[in-house]
Amino acid sequence: MQGFEKYYRKTWSQRLDVLKQENKLSKKQVEQLKQNAVTPVLGDTQIENFLTQFQLPEGLALNFVIDGKEYLIPMVIEEPSVVAGASHGAAIVKKAGGFQTKSSQRAMRGQVVLENVTDLAATKKKIEEQETELLQAAADAHPSIVKRGGGPLALNVRILGQGLLSVDLIIDTKEAMGANMINSMLEAVADKLRTTGHYDVLMAILSNYTTECLVTASCQIPVANLAKNGLPGLKIAQKLAQASRVAQVDPYRAATHNKGIMNGIDAAVIASGNDWRAMEAAAHAYAARDGQYRGLSTWEVVGDQLEGELCLPVPVGSVGGSIGIVPLVQVNSALRAEKDALGLEKIIASVGLAQNLAALYALVTDGIQKGHMNLQMKSLAVSVGAKEDEIQQVVSALQKLPQQDQAIAQHVLDEIRNEASENE
Ligand code: NDP
């Protein structure tokens, strides 16, 4: 495109100038990009062709008691009602003693894929016999992680069929999520396999199906605590458990069930500066682990308790990537005050379970729209141009109406303004 040749070589302000010169944006729009670039030097080091810093709102989720300690959880998300939902779900669990979490391992997996393998079983055996040597090659490629007490732990060779073999490395990445360090180690292993075994290496990269960092958050809620709108708590708990069973048998429902869980998880992961695409990929792959896509959480009525459990991979770190360089990520870490990456994993799993509880509770009682619409009305008011005090006036007027949409919000705002000008 004219004017965009070698765009990546231009400075930040030159890049903005091109947008103006080539009539892609008006002077005012370019100024908006400039004003939103709060830390242009940082942005320019984070990504290519940096223009501006795109903002998302950050809110604080409350009431999270996890393994006996209370946490404040910053969440970054544009969707109304997620922070409120997380805090509400967490409040129900707090009253019942809080979340319990467990994790058996914190490691990552990477794979070197070999192609054109004629005898898969014999090659698998041969490579397995080289385990010590290959793990050493991996360790030598990133010695600093070994010094920190981590590094390659095990080798696992899997036959994929069609002449394909996956040589998997399980790696302890300590406090990092580890993508970059794993990739360096895998490339060293790939070189070793190429040079010593003359294998045909197709690729070497970490796996985002991170089954070596599973975390479980659980809770037990006395059913009596769930009573609402004249409905007994037991009845609501049974409906909630039934809703969770629907997500186990129906992928259409499971996708929405899990989207609700990820509303909270993504928001907490983004606030922590971690890679939320990696989190999403891991969660959804795990949801389909037995061949059918299912809900990640389960709820069951056991005696007079509603028991909830969410088990999923949480591939996050407390260092690495943009964690150490984005100032707000550090502020958020201070707010959560978790001990380490494992502590963060446990918070994230608990957020997912709280979010899920709030969504299912709303679904089987009032329906999802009631809570949503109160917050949605604020967005509706802003979308039609309401400013400052007008926003609450539009929301209050909309709440009294049987239906709310943009045209109605516009009409309400016009009336408020007409009335105000008549009173002047
Ligand atoms: P980094 O490449 O930033 O590596 C972690 C850094 O943290 C290293 O420099 C390491 O130091 C340092 N560090 C300091 N203290 C510790 C400690 N206690 N434990 C471990 N490391 C420590 O990040 P990652 O390797 O974690 O990779 C994450 C990034 O990779 C994310 O930004 C992600 O988006 C991206 N990515 C993701 C991919 C995917 O998911 N498919 C693919 C490619 C990239 P030292 O150097 O001394 O070891």
Side-chain angles (χ1 to χ4, degrees):
M1 193 181 280
Q2 176 83 21
F4 288 81
E5 302 82 9
K6 303 260 171 11
Y7 196 64
Y8 65 97
R9 287 205 184 151
K10 297 189 191 300
T11 64
W12 171 58
S13 56
Q14 283 168 343
R15 262 181 246 132
L16 293 180
D17 287 344
V18 170
L19 299 177
K20 225 171 0 191
Q21 283 150 16
E22 299 301 326
N23 291 322
K24 298 296 175 199
L25 292 179
S26 67
K27 203 173 155 201
K28 191 173 162 207
Q29 286 168 324
V30 169
E31 204 44 47
Q32 274 177 298
L33 288 179
K34 220 176 241 178
Q35 275 165 11
N36 278 285
V38 190
T39 50
V41 177
L42 173 63
D44 227 0
T45 58
Q46 281 184 292
I47 62 163
E48 308 78 27
N49 294 351
F50 170 78
L51 291 181
T52 193
Q53 261 121 357
F54 186 90
Q55 292 183 33
L56 287 174
E58 175 171 324
L60 195 60
L62 302 170
N63 310 318
F64 276 86
V65 173
I66 303 168
D67 299 324
K69 185 179 163 207
E70 187 150 8
Y71 290 88
L72 296 173
I73 306 181
M75 296 175 83
V76 172
I77 188 159
E78 85 296 349
E79 184 175 337
S81 79
V82 172
V83 179
S87 303
H88 178 220
I92 296 172
V93 177
K94 179 181 175 181
K95 208 171 155 201
F99 296 95
Q100 300 91 45
T101 66
K102 57 179 193 247
S103 141
S104 54
Q105 196 184 7
R106 197 187 125 73
M108 295 284 288
R109 179 185 289 251
Q111 48 184 165
V112 179
V113 178
L114 307 184
E115 61 177 341
N116 305 318
V117 181
T118 43
D119 189 340
L120 288 164
T123 310
K124 171 173 158 53
K125 192 162 175 280
K126 214 165 147 196
I127 293 174
E128 281 168 349
E129 283 163 6
Q130 279 182 274
E131 175 166 5
T132 312
E133 198 186 322
L134 292 171
L135 292 184
Q136 191 57 51
D140 292 345
H142 203 90
S144 54
I145 196 66
V146 180
K147 272 197 212 126
R148 293 182 201 280
L153 299 173
L155 187 102
N156 178 354
V157 186
R158 290 179 302 121
I159 293 174
L160 306 181
Q162 301 178 18
L164 300 166
L165 203 69
S166 182
V167 180
D168 293 3
L169 249 67
I170 311 300
I171 300 169
D172 179 352
T173 55
K174 303 314 285 180
E175 283 299 298
M177 178 264 202
N180 289 315
M181 60 176 84
I182 295 169
N183 290 342
S184 309
M185 291 188 230
L186 292 171
E187 286 183 6
V189 170
D191 273 350
K192 188 100 186 153
L193 287 167
R194 246 187 233 113
T195 50
T196 60
H198 304 289
Y199 297 111
D200 223 342
V201 174
L202 178 65
M203 59 185 164
I205 180 125
L206 88 156
S207 167
N208 283 110
Y209 185 28
T210 49
T211 47
E212 279 73 31
C213 61
L214 293 179
V215 191
T216 305
S218 58
C219 61
Q220 299 80 38
I221 305 162
V223 294
N225 292 5
L226 299 169
K228 191 177 178 186
N229 299 345
L231 267 180
L234 177 61
K235 185 89 198 146
I236 292 178
Q238 284 164 341
K239 279 174 176 282
L240 215 143
Q242 186 74 315
S244 120
R245 280 192 284 276
V246 177
Q248 291 303 307
V249 296
D250 178 25
Y252 281 93
R253 173 58 205 152
T256 323
H257 181 99
N258 291 342
K259 193 275 181 182
I261 291 173
M262 299 312 287
N263 271 344
I265 288 187
D266 281 345
V269 171
I270 294 170
S272 77
N274 274 283
D275 183 338
W276 75 94
R277 288 84 54 207
M279 180 67 229
E280 282 276 340
H284 294 295
Y286 192 67
R289 64 193 175 282
D290 68 2
Q292 184 184 319
Y293 187 88
R294 299 180 195 279
L296 284 161
S297 67
T298 53
W299 294 90
E300 244 184 291
V301 179
V302 180
D304 62 354
Q305 304 283 313
L306 175 69
E307 297 188 355
E309 186 174 292
L310 170 65
C311 176
L312 81 174
V314 185
V316 294
S318 68
V319 296
S322 62
I323 294 170
I325 57 176
V326 176
L328 271 184
V329 166
Q330 301 301 313
V331 174
N332 290 343
S333 170
L335 272 173
R336 283 188 311 271
E338 75 272 2
K339 230 174 82 205
D340 51 20
L342 182 59
L344 179 58
E345 283 184 19
K346 292 178 169 184
I347 288 175
I348 288 166
S350 304
V351 170
L353 192 56
Q355 203 75 54
N356 184 232
L357 172 61
L360 295 183
Y361 191 50
L363 276 174
V364 301
T365 54
D366 297 330
I368 208 80
Q369 277 310 81
K370 190 176 172 195
H372 266 212
M373 278 319 283
N374 278 335
L375 288 156
Q376 208 77 46
M377 278 184 241
K378 261 192 189 170
S379 306
L380 214 48
V382 174
S383 76
V384 295
K387 305 258 184 290
E388 297 161 12
D389 291 353
E390 289 174 345
I391 298 172
Q392 198 43 51
Q393 290 178 53
V394 173
V395 170
S396 303
L398 285 174
Q399 277 168 340
K400 291 182 195 123
L401 298 173
Q403 279 180 340
Q404 300 88 12
D405 61 25
Q406 220 167 22
I408 296 171
Q410 186 66 65
H411 180 70
V412 167
L413 177 63
D414 292 345
E415 280 196 337
I416 289 169
R417 286 183 176 166
N418 285 342
E419 213 171 293
S421 62
E422 275 166 24
N423 292 338
E424 271 171 11

mmCIF file with all atom_site columns, all heavy atoms in Angstrom, residues 361-381:
data_model
loop_
_atom_site.group_PDB
_atom_site.id
_atom_site.type_symbol
_atom_site.label_atom_id
_atom_site.label_alt_id
_atom_site.label_comp_id
_atom_site.label_asym_id
_atom_site.label_entity_id
_atom_site.label_seq_id
_atom_site.pdbx_PDB_ins_code
_atom_site.Cartn_x
_atom_site.Cartn_y
_atom_site.Cartn_z
_atom_site.occupancy
_atom_site.B_iso_or_equiv
_atom_site.pdbx_formal_charge
_atom_site.auth_seq_id
_atom_site.auth_comp_id
_atom_site.auth_asym_id
_atom_site.auth_atom_id
_atom_site.pdbx_PDB_model_num
ATOM 1   N N   . TYR A 1 361 ? -26.034 -19.719 38.864 1.00 0.00 ? 361 TYR A N   1
ATOM 2   C CA  . TYR A 1 361 ? -27.007 -19.296 39.882 1.00 0.00 ? 361 TYR A CA  1
ATOM 3   C C   . TYR A 1 361 ? -28.019 -18.339 39.252 1.00 0.00 ? 361 TYR A C   1
ATOM 4   O O   . TYR A 1 361 ? -29.233 -18.473 39.436 1.00 0.00 ? 361 TYR A O   1
ATOM 5   C CB  . TYR A 1 361 ? -26.248 -18.634 41.036 1.00 0.00 ? 361 TYR A CB  1
ATOM 6   C CG  . TYR A 1 361 ? -27.074 -18.374 42.279 1.00 0.00 ? 361 TYR A CG  1
ATOM 7   C CD1 . TYR A 1 361 ? -27.857 -19.377 42.845 1.00 0.00 ? 361 TYR A CD1 1
ATOM 8   C CD2 . TYR A 1 361 ? -27.045 -17.123 42.900 1.00 0.00 ? 361 TYR A CD2 1
ATOM 9   C CE1 . TYR A 1 361 ? -28.602 -19.143 43.995 1.00 0.00 ? 361 TYR A CE1 1
ATOM 10  C CE2 . TYR A 1 361 ? -27.789 -16.875 44.048 1.00 0.00 ? 361 TYR A CE2 1
ATOM 11  C CZ  . TYR A 1 361 ? -28.572 -17.883 44.591 1.00 0.00 ? 361 TYR A CZ  1
ATOM 12  O OH  . TYR A 1 361 ? -29.299 -17.645 45.719 1.00 0.00 ? 361 TYR A OH  1
ATOM 13  N N   . ALA A 1 362 ? -27.500 -17.384 38.455 1.00 0.00 ? 362 ALA A N   1
ATOM 14  C CA  . ALA A 1 362 ? -28.405 -16.439 37.787 1.00 0.00 ? 362 ALA A CA  1
ATOM 15  C C   . ALA A 1 362 ? -29.280 -17.188 36.785 1.00 0.00 ? 362 ALA A C   1
ATOM 16  O O   . ALA A 1 362 ? -30.502 -16.968 36.726 1.00 0.00 ? 362 ALA A O   1
ATOM 17  C CB  . ALA A 1 362 ? -27.598 -15.354 37.083 1.00 0.00 ? 362 ALA A CB  1
ATOM 18  N N   . LEU A 1 363 ? -28.678 -18.084 36.016 1.00 0.00 ? 363 LEU A N   1
ATOM 19  C CA  . LEU A 1 363 ? -29.428 -18.803 34.977 1.00 0.00 ? 363 LEU A CA  1
ATOM 20  C C   . LEU A 1 363 ? -30.591 -19.605 35.534 1.00 0.00 ? 363 LEU A C   1
ATOM 21  O O   . LEU A 1 363 ? -31.657 -19.655 34.926 1.00 0.00 ? 363 LEU A O   1
ATOM 22  C CB  . LEU A 1 363 ? -28.487 -19.759 34.224 1.00 0.00 ? 363 LEU A CB  1
ATOM 23  C CG  . LEU A 1 363 ? -27.668 -19.166 33.094 1.00 0.00 ? 363 LEU A CG  1
ATOM 24  C CD1 . LEU A 1 363 ? -26.687 -20.199 32.564 1.00 0.00 ? 363 LEU A CD1 1
ATOM 25  C CD2 . LEU A 1 363 ? -28.574 -18.689 31.964 1.00 0.00 ? 363 LEU A CD2 1
ATOM 26  N N   . VAL A 1 364 ? -30.377 -20.266 36.686 1.00 0.00 ? 364 VAL A N   1
ATOM 27  C CA  . VAL A 1 364 ? -31.445 -21.137 37.206 1.00 0.00 ? 364 VAL A CA  1
ATOM 28  C C   . VAL A 1 364 ? -32.392 -20.408 38.158 1.00 0.00 ? 364 VAL A C   1
ATOM 29  O O   . VAL A 1 364 ? -33.310 -21.007 38.700 1.00 0.00 ? 364 VAL A O   1
ATOM 30  C CB  . VAL A 1 364 ? -30.871 -22.417 37.882 1.00 0.00 ? 364 VAL A CB  1
ATOM 31  C CG1 . VAL A 1 364 ? -30.044 -23.223 36.897 1.00 0.00 ? 364 VAL A CG1 1
ATOM 32  C CG2 . VAL A 1 364 ? -30.074 -22.084 39.130 1.00 0.00 ? 364 VAL A CG2 1
ATOM 33  N N   . THR A 1 365 ? -32.133 -19.090 38.366 1.00 0.00 ? 365 THR A N   1
ATOM 34  C CA  . THR A 1 365 ? -33.067 -18.320 39.205 1.00 0.00 ? 365 THR A CA  1
ATOM 35  C C   . THR A 1 365 ? -33.704 -17.188 38.388 1.00 0.00 ? 365 THR A C   1
ATOM 36  O O   . THR A 1 365 ? -34.711 -17.388 37.729 1.00 0.00 ? 365 THR A O   1
ATOM 37  C CB  . THR A 1 365 ? -32.360 -17.773 40.478 1.00 0.00 ? 365 THR A CB  1
ATOM 38  O OG1 . THR A 1 365 ? -31.206 -17.031 40.086 1.00 0.00 ? 365 THR A OG1 1
ATOM 39  C CG2 . THR A 1 365 ? -31.968 -18.894 41.420 1.00 0.00 ? 365 THR A CG2 1
ATOM 40  N N   . ASP A 1 366 ? -33.036 -16.024 38.342 1.00 0.00 ? 366 ASP A N   1
ATOM 41  C CA  . ASP A 1 366 ? -33.626 -14.862 37.668 1.00 0.00 ? 366 ASP A CA  1
ATOM 42  C C   . ASP A 1 366 ? -33.469 -14.874 36.152 1.00 0.00 ? 366 ASP A C   1
ATOM 43  O O   . ASP A 1 366 ? -34.068 -14.073 35.454 1.00 0.00 ? 366 ASP A O   1
ATOM 44  C CB  . ASP A 1 366 ? -32.941 -13.573 38.162 1.00 0.00 ? 366 ASP A CB  1
ATOM 45  C CG  . ASP A 1 366 ? -33.176 -13.354 39.632 1.00 0.00 ? 366 ASP A CG  1
ATOM 46  O OD1 . ASP A 1 366 ? -34.228 -13.782 40.120 1.00 0.00 ? 366 ASP A OD1 1
ATOM 47  O OD2 . ASP A 1 366 ? -32.301 -12.754 40.286 1.00 0.00 ? 366 ASP A OD2 1
ATOM 48  N N   . GLY A 1 367 ? -32.578 -15.712 35.637 1.00 0.00 ? 367 GLY A N   1
ATOM 49  C CA  . GLY A 1 367 ? -32.188 -15.603 34.223 1.00 0.00 ? 367 GLY A CA  1
ATOM 50  C C   . GLY A 1 367 ? -31.015 -14.647 34.132 1.00 0.00 ? 367 GLY A C   1
ATOM 51  O O   . GLY A 1 367 ? -30.817 -13.815 35.029 1.00 0.00 ? 367 GLY A O   1
ATOM 52  N N   . ILE A 1 368 ? -30.240 -14.753 33.075 1.00 0.00 ? 368 ILE A N   1
ATOM 53  C CA  . ILE A 1 368 ? -28.982 -14.016 33.004 1.00 0.00 ? 368 ILE A CA  1
ATOM 54  C C   . ILE A 1 368 ? -29.197 -12.529 32.728 1.00 0.00 ? 368 ILE A C   1
ATOM 55  O O   . ILE A 1 368 ? -28.396 -11.684 33.104 1.00 0.00 ? 368 ILE A O   1
ATOM 56  C CB  . ILE A 1 368 ? -28.047 -14.657 31.943 1.00 0.00 ? 368 ILE A CB  1
ATOM 57  C CG1 . ILE A 1 368 ? -26.585 -14.422 32.276 1.00 0.00 ? 368 ILE A CG1 1
ATOM 58  C CG2 . ILE A 1 368 ? -28.366 -14.221 30.536 1.00 0.00 ? 368 ILE A CG2 1
ATOM 59  C CD1 . ILE A 1 368 ? -26.019 -15.329 33.295 1.00 0.00 ? 368 ILE A CD1 1
ATOM 60  N N   . GLN A 1 369 ? -30.317 -12.188 32.071 1.00 0.00 ? 369 GLN A N   1
ATOM 61  C CA  . GLN A 1 369 ? -30.490 -10.805 31.608 1.00 0.00 ? 369 GLN A CA  1
ATOM 62  C C   . GLN A 1 369 ? -30.692 -9.787  32.719 1.00 0.00 ? 369 GLN A C   1
ATOM 63  O O   . GLN A 1 369 ? -30.266 -8.649  32.609 1.00 0.00 ? 369 GLN A O   1
ATOM 64  C CB  . GLN A 1 369 ? -31.646 -10.708 30.601 1.00 0.00 ? 369 GLN A CB  1
ATOM 65  C CG  . GLN A 1 369 ? -31.258 -11.080 29.190 1.00 0.00 ? 369 GLN A CG  1
ATOM 66  C CD  . GLN A 1 369 ? -30.009 -10.377 28.707 1.00 0.00 ? 369 GLN A CD  1
ATOM 67  O OE1 . GLN A 1 369 ? -28.888 -10.782 29.011 1.00 0.00 ? 369 GLN A OE1 1
ATOM 68  N NE2 . GLN A 1 369 ? -30.182 -9.302  27.958 1.00 0.00 ? 369 GLN A NE2 1
ATOM 69  N N   . LYS A 1 370 ? -31.331 -10.217 33.828 1.00 0.00 ? 370 LYS A N   1
ATOM 70  C CA  . LYS A 1 370 ? -31.668 -9.248  34.878 1.00 0.00 ? 370 LYS A CA  1
ATOM 71  C C   . LYS A 1 370 ? -30.408 -8.527  35.379 1.00 0.00 ? 370 LYS A C   1
ATOM 72  O O   . LYS A 1 370 ? -30.326 -7.300  35.355 1.00 0.00 ? 370 LYS A O   1
ATOM 73  C CB  . LYS A 1 370 ? -32.386 -9.952  36.025 1.00 0.00 ? 370 LYS A CB  1
ATOM 74  C CG  . LYS A 1 370 ? -32.958 -8.973  37.022 1.00 0.00 ? 370 LYS A CG  1
ATOM 75  C CD  . LYS A 1 370 ? -33.744 -9.679  38.095 1.00 0.00 ? 370 LYS A CD  1
ATOM 76  C CE  . LYS A 1 370 ? -34.124 -8.676  39.183 1.00 0.00 ? 370 LYS A CE  1
ATOM 77  N NZ  . LYS A 1 370 ? -34.557 -9.351  40.389 1.00 0.00 ? 370 LYS A NZ  1
ATOM 78  N N   . GLY A 1 371 ? -29.417 -9.320  35.792 1.00 0.00 ? 371 GLY A N   1
ATOM 79  C CA  . GLY A 1 371 ? -28.174 -8.727  36.294 1.00 0.00 ? 371 GLY A CA  1
ATOM 80  C C   . GLY A 1 371 ? -27.419 -8.012  35.188 1.00 0.00 ? 371 GLY A C   1
ATOM 81  O O   . GLY A 1 371 ? -26.884 -6.924  35.387 1.00 0.00 ? 371 GLY A O   1
ATOM 82  N N   . HIS A 1 372 ? -27.412 -8.638  34.006 1.00 0.00 ? 372 HIS A N   1
ATOM 83  C CA  . HIS A 1 372 ? -26.680 -8.067  32.874 1.00 0.00 ? 372 HIS A CA  1
ATOM 84  C C   . HIS A 1 372 ? -27.219 -6.702  32.490 1.00 0.00 ? 372 HIS A C   1
ATOM 85  O O   . HIS A 1 372 ? -26.487 -5.781  32.237 1.00 0.00 ? 372 HIS A O   1
ATOM 86  C CB  . HIS A 1 372 ? -26.821 -8.992  31.655 1.00 0.00 ? 372 HIS A CB  1
ATOM 87  C CG  . HIS A 1 372 ? -25.707 -9.952  31.542 1.00 0.00 ? 372 HIS A CG  1
ATOM 88  N ND1 . HIS A 1 372 ? -25.238 -10.405 30.338 1.00 0.00 ? 372 HIS A ND1 1
ATOM 89  C CD2 . HIS A 1 372 ? -24.947 -10.551 32.473 1.00 0.00 ? 372 HIS A CD2 1
ATOM 90  C CE1 . HIS A 1 372 ? -24.256 -11.245 30.544 1.00 0.00 ? 372 HIS A CE1 1
ATOM 91  N NE2 . HIS A 1 372 ? -24.065 -11.360 31.835 1.00 0.00 ? 372 HIS A NE2 1
ATOM 92  N N   . MET A 1 373 ? -28.573 -6.634  32.429 1.00 0.00 ? 373 MET A N   1
ATOM 93  C CA  . MET A 1 373 ? -29.167 -5.431  31.855 1.00 0.00 ? 373 MET A CA  1
ATOM 94  C C   . MET A 1 373 ? -28.888 -4.178  32.677 1.00 0.00 ? 373 MET A C   1
ATOM 95  O O   . MET A 1 373 ? -28.730 -3.103  32.127 1.00 0.00 ? 373 MET A O   1
ATOM 96  C CB  . MET A 1 373 ? -30.682 -5.614  31.637 1.00 0.00 ? 373 MET A CB  1
ATOM 97  C CG  . MET A 1 373 ? -31.023 -6.344  30.355 1.00 0.00 ? 373 MET A CG  1
ATOM 98  S SD  . MET A 1 373 ? -30.044 -5.873  28.907 1.00 0.00 ? 373 MET A SD  1
ATOM 99  C CE  . MET A 1 373 ? -30.805 -4.306  28.463 1.00 0.00 ? 373 MET A CE  1
ATOM 100 N N   . ASN A 1 374 ? -28.796 -4.347  34.023 1.00 0.00 ? 374 ASN A N   1
ATOM 101 C CA  . ASN A 1 374 ? -28.519 -3.165  34.836 1.00 0.00 ? 374 ASN A CA  1
ATOM 102 C C   . ASN A 1 374 ? -27.215 -2.510  34.404 1.00 0.00 ? 374 ASN A C   1
ATOM 103 O O   . ASN A 1 374 ? -27.130 -1.296  34.272 1.00 0.00 ? 374 ASN A O   1
ATOM 104 C CB  . ASN A 1 374 ? -28.460 -3.549  36.316 1.00 0.00 ? 374 ASN A CB  1
ATOM 105 C CG  . ASN A 1 374 ? -29.862 -3.625  36.888 1.00 0.00 ? 374 ASN A CG  1
ATOM 106 O OD1 . ASN A 1 374 ? -30.772 -2.985  36.379 1.00 0.00 ? 374 ASN A OD1 1
ATOM 107 N ND2 . ASN A 1 374 ? -30.023 -4.419  37.925 1.00 0.00 ? 374 ASN A ND2 1
ATOM 108 N N   . LEU A 1 375 ? -26.195 -3.348  34.179 1.00 0.00 ? 375 LEU A N   1
ATOM 109 C CA  . LEU A 1 375 ? -24.914 -2.790  33.743 1.00 0.00 ? 375 LEU A CA  1
ATOM 110 C C   . LEU A 1 375 ? -24.937 -2.423  32.261 1.00 0.00 ? 375 LEU A C   1
ATOM 111 O O   . LEU A 1 375 ? -24.348 -1.449  31.824 1.00 0.00 ? 375 LEU A O   1
ATOM 112 C CB  . LEU A 1 375 ? -23.793 -3.798  34.024 1.00 0.00 ? 375 LEU A CB  1
ATOM 113 C CG  . LEU A 1 375 ? -23.481 -3.927  35.519 1.00 0.00 ? 375 LEU A CG  1
ATOM 114 C CD1 . LEU A 1 375 ? -22.842 -5.260  35.820 1.00 0.00 ? 375 LEU A CD1 1
ATOM 115 C CD2 . LEU A 1 375 ? -22.585 -2.786  35.969 1.00 0.00 ? 375 LEU A CD2 1
ATOM 116 N N   . GLN A 1 376 ? -25.680 -3.244  31.496 1.00 0.00 ? 376 GLN A N   1
ATOM 117 C CA  . GLN A 1 376 ? -25.773 -2.989  30.058 1.00 0.00 ? 376 GLN A CA  1
ATOM 118 C C   . GLN A 1 376 ? -26.432 -1.633  29.799 1.00 0.00 ? 376 GLN A C   1
ATOM 119 O O   . GLN A 1 376 ? -26.097 -0.947  28.843 1.00 0.00 ? 376 GLN A O   1
ATOM 120 C CB  . GLN A 1 376 ? -26.604 -4.105  29.405 1.00 0.00 ? 376 GLN A CB  1
ATOM 121 C CG  . GLN A 1 376 ? -26.256 -4.366  27.962 1.00 0.00 ? 376 GLN A CG  1
ATOM 122 C CD  . GLN A 1 376 ? -24.965 -5.169  27.858 1.00 0.00 ? 376 GLN A CD  1
ATOM 123 O OE1 . GLN A 1 376 ? -24.792 -6.136  28.557 1.00 0.00 ? 376 GLN A OE1 1
ATOM 124 N NE2 . GLN A 1 376 ? -24.053 -4.760  26.981 1.00 0.00 ? 376 GLN A NE2 1
ATOM 125 N N   . MET A 1 377 ? -27.353 -1.244  30.691 1.00 0.00 ? 377 MET A N   1
ATOM 126 C CA  . MET A 1 377 ? -28.064 0.030   30.509 1.00 0.00 ? 377 MET A CA  1
ATOM 127 C C   . MET A 1 377 ? -27.106 1.213   30.592 1.00 0.00 ? 377 MET A C   1
ATOM 128 O O   . MET A 1 377 ? -27.294 2.213   29.919 1.00 0.00 ? 377 MET A O   1
ATOM 129 C CB  . MET A 1 377 ? -29.185 0.158   31.540 1.00 0.00 ? 377 MET A CB  1
ATOM 130 C CG  . MET A 1 377 ? -30.425 -0.586  31.106 1.00 0.00 ? 377 MET A CG  1
ATOM 131 S SD  . MET A 1 377 ? -31.734 -0.302  32.270 1.00 0.00 ? 377 MET A SD  1
ATOM 132 C CE  . MET A 1 377 ? -32.053 -1.922  32.844 1.00 0.00 ? 377 MET A CE  1
ATOM 133 N N   . LYS A 1 378 ? -26.091 1.077   31.428 1.00 0.00 ? 378 LYS A N   1
ATOM 134 C CA  . LYS A 1 378 ? -25.078 2.138   31.518 1.00 0.00 ? 378 LYS A CA  1
ATOM 135 C C   . LYS A 1 378 ? -24.374 2.272   30.169 1.00 0.00 ? 378 LYS A C   1
ATOM 136 O O   . LYS A 1 378 ? -24.187 3.371   29.656 1.00 0.00 ? 378 LYS A O   1
ATOM 137 C CB  . LYS A 1 378 ? -24.027 1.773   32.576 1.00 0.00 ? 378 LYS A CB  1
ATOM 138 C CG  . LYS A 1 378 ? -24.230 2.432   33.894 1.00 0.00 ? 378 LYS A CG  1
ATOM 139 C CD  . LYS A 1 378 ? -22.979 2.226   34.735 1.00 0.00 ? 378 LYS A CD  1
ATOM 140 C CE  . LYS A 1 378 ? -23.215 2.688   36.150 1.00 0.00 ? 378 LYS A CE  1
ATOM 141 N NZ  . LYS A 1 378 ? -22.153 2.321   37.046 1.00 0.00 ? 378 LYS A NZ  1
ATOM 142 N N   . SER A 1 379 ? -23.999 1.116   29.591 1.00 0.00 ? 379 SER A N   1
ATOM 143 C CA  . SER A 1 379 ? -23.329 1.135   28.283 1.00 0.00 ? 379 SER A CA  1
ATOM 144 C C   . SER A 1 379 ? -24.251 1.726   27.228 1.00 0.00 ? 379 SER A C   1
ATOM 145 O O   . SER A 1 379 ? -23.828 2.499   26.364 1.00 0.00 ? 379 SER A O   1
ATOM 146 C CB  . SER A 1 379 ? -22.926 -0.277  27.841 1.00 0.00 ? 379 SER A CB  1
ATOM 147 O OG  . SER A 1 379 ? -22.172 -0.881  28.826 1.00 0.00 ? 379 SER A OG  1
ATOM 148 N N   . LEU A 1 380 ? -25.545 1.343   27.325 1.00 0.00 ? 380 LEU A N   1
ATOM 149 C CA  . LEU A 1 380 ? -26.541 1.835   26.380 1.00 0.00 ? 380 LEU A CA  1
ATOM 150 C C   . LEU A 1 380 ? -26.627 3.361   26.462 1.00 0.00 ? 380 LEU A C   1
ATOM 151 O O   . LEU A 1 380 ? -26.644 4.061   25.446 1.00 0.00 ? 380 LEU A O   1
ATOM 152 C CB  . LEU A 1 380 ? -27.893 1.204   26.757 1.00 0.00 ? 380 LEU A CB  1
ATOM 153 C CG  . LEU A 1 380 ? -28.891 0.864   25.680 1.00 0.00 ? 380 LEU A CG  1
ATOM 154 C CD1 . LEU A 1 380 ? -28.253 0.117   24.529 1.00 0.00 ? 380 LEU A CD1 1
ATOM 155 C CD2 . LEU A 1 380 ? -30.018 0.008   26.273 1.00 0.00 ? 380 LEU A CD2 1
ATOM 156 N N   . ALA A 1 381 ? -26.655 3.878   27.700 1.00 0.00 ? 381 ALA A N   1
ATOM 157 C CA  . ALA A 1 381 ? -26.749 5.331   27.906 1.00 0.00 ? 381 ALA A CA  1
ATOM 158 C C   . ALA A 1 381 ? -25.539 6.032   27.286 1.00 0.00 ? 381 ALA A C   1
ATOM 159 O O   . ALA A 1 381 ? -25.680 7.033   26.572 1.00 0.00 ? 381 ALA A O   1
ATOM 160 C CB  . ALA A 1 381 ? -26.836 5.638   29.404 1.00 0.00 ? 381 ALA A CB  1
#
